[in-house]
Amino acid sequence: MSALNKTYINDLKEWEEDFSFYYEIKVRFSETDLFGHLNNTVAFIYFEQARIEFLKAIGFMQEWLKKDSETIPVVADLQCDFLQQVYFDETLKIYVKAASVGGSSVDIHYRAVNNKGKTVLTGRGTMVQILKATGKSKPWEEHQKNKLLNTNYQHN
């Protein structure tokens, strides 16, 4: 697998230590391919599920899902780096953190760790808060930025 030389990770140890929130996922048989390891598309599904749980933990999803909510989140880009193979029935902790917050965007980082404590996947993606009616970006309010950047989340 590839060496860890990712542009979004400056110092691996510091980067790994900065995560606190995670969501556990068990690899299902249907998520593996003909070669017996995790299909490359499934990592993005894991990132999505962990991201949603993270956003629920800080209270954002509940607001966005209200009928009268004027805003929704959209994913602008998504990246995954495969460091080690993952197999059926392994349990992964998918860590999530907001690495940086822009005016209406947030750069979210992901780290998948197997039950041996090895990082098997890393990733990042930009999510943007937009107005439902126009599709235009909607700036974060200060309290939203603070929630995103709080690193003291409890895991699930």
Side-chain angles (χ1 to χ4, degrees), residues 2 56 79 88 112 116 119 124-125 147:
S2 67
K56 282 167 48 178
Q79 171 182 346
F88 163 67
K116 296 174 186 159
T119 298
R124 58 147 307 277
K147 282 185 177 184

Side-chain angles (χ1 to χ4, degrees), residues 27-40:
V27 178
R28 298 179 296 188
F29 182 77
S30 63
E31 297 169 333
T32 61
D33 61 20
L34 179 64
F35 304 107
H37 63 267
L38 186 72
N39 182 284
N40 63 317

Side-chain angles (χ1 to χ4, degrees), residues 3-152:
L4 192 60
N5 184 16
K6 311 301 170 218
T7 58
Y8 57 93
I9 302 172
N10 294 324
D11 179 299
L12 178 62
K13 185 172 173 46
E14 183 180 310
W15 183 81
E16 289 177 337
E17 290 173 353
D18 200 29
F19 286 94
S20 60
F21 181 90
Y22 68 84
Y23 183 75
E24 275 192 5
I25 293 178
K26 191 164 194 137
V27 178
R28 298 179 296 188
F29 182 77
S30 63
E31 297 169 333
T32 61
D33 61 20
L34 179 64
F35 304 107
H37 63 267
L38 186 72
N39 182 284
N40 63 317
T41 64
V42 175
F44 295 103
I45 296 167
Y46 290 175
F47 289 175
E48 176 187 56
Q49 185 63 44
R51 179 176 65 249
I52 288 169
E53 294 301 324
F54 171 75
L55 294 168
K56 282 167 48 178
I58 62 175
F60 284 28
M61 283 304 294
Q62 298 86 324
E63 290 300 314
W64 286 324
L65 290 172
K66 289 180 181 175
K67 278 190 169 212
D68 62 346
S69 174
E70 295 180 358
T71 58
I72 58 172
V74 294
V75 173
D77 73 333
L78 196 54
Q79 171 182 346
C80 179
D81 296 295
F82 300 85
L83 306 180
Q84 292 190 13
Q85 291 190 52
V86 176
Y87 297 95
F88 163 67
D89 217 28
E90 281 190 86
T91 298
L92 301 176
K93 289 181 180 175
I94 312 296
Y95 287 88
V96 181
K97 68 179 175 182
S100 63
V101 179
S104 60
S105 66
V106 58
D107 190 41
I108 298 176
H109 287 196
Y110 306 92
R111 175 182 176 230
V113 178
N114 67 15
N115 55 5
K116 296 174 186 159
K118 298 284 186 192
T119 298
V120 295
L121 306 167
T122 64
R124 58 147 307 277
T126 302
M127 188 184 78
V128 180
Q129 178 177 241
I130 66 167
L131 292 164
K132 286 183 197 178
T134 65
K136 302 288 184 194
S137 62
K138 165 79 165 82
W140 300 113
E141 295 177 21
E142 202 58 39
H143 76 278
Q144 290 176 307
K145 287 182 181 182
N146 291 336
K147 282 185 177 184
L148 284 165
L149 293 173
N150 178 1
T151 58
N152 297 316

